[in-house]
């Protein structure tokens, strides 16, 4: 069983930064997805891929993975960059 640990990025549709300080442990699917013959939806029999656990710190997420024997890979958070703009720059 393998998983990945990452920090959620800021939602592009909103200006708030809610839940971006939490660390997420998400299990990776062991089965490929296949189309349902009746509805055409993609799905699989692997229910572990639906599990998503949140932790307050990276150390807590790593400790949980080590305690339960989960091979977790850490995905570092990209640095946050601000793009400073001025309205007057539109008329240069």
């Amino acid at each position: 069983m393998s998983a990945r640990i990452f920090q959620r990025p800021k939602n592009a549709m909103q200006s708030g930064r809610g839940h971006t300080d939490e660390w997420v442990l998400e299990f990776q699917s062991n089965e490929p997805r296949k189309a349902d013959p009746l509805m055409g939806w993609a799905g699989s029999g692997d229910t572990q891929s639906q599990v998503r656990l949140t932790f307050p710190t990276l150390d807590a997420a790593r400790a949980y993975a080590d305690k339960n024997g989960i091979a977790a890979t850490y995905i570092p958070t990209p640095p946050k960059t601000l793009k400073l703009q001025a309205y007057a720059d539109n008329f240069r």
Side-chain angles (χ1 to χ4, degrees):
M1 180 176 354
S2 62
R4 61 185 187 131
I5 299 173
F6 63 96
Q7 206 169 17
R8 285 189 199 156
K10 185 179 95 57
N11 188 351
M13 296 297 181
Q14 297 175 349
S15 61
R17 297 190 187 273
H19 301 289
T20 57
D21 55 343
E22 295 176 342
W23 289 89
V24 178
L25 186 136
E26 187 177 65
F27 292 97
Q28 294 177 348
S29 181
N30 294 332
E31 275 183 31
R33 291 179 164 261
K34 55 186 178 271
D36 182 50
L38 179 63
M39 299 297 288
W41 296 340
S44 72
D46 184 21
T47 57
Q48 274 301 86
S49 63
Q50 300 172 6
V51 177
R52 185 179 259 190
L53 304 172
T54 58
F55 297 93
T57 62
L58 174 62
D59 294 331
R62 284 184 175 169
Y64 178 84
D66 291 340
K67 179 181 174 186
N68 293 307
I70 301 168
T73 56
Y74 162 66
I75 300 172
T77 306
K80 296 175 185 171
T81 58
L82 291 175
K83 184 178 177 185
L84 298 177
Q85 303 185 80
Y87 181 69
D89 292 339
N90 293 335
F91 305 102
R92 286 188 183 183

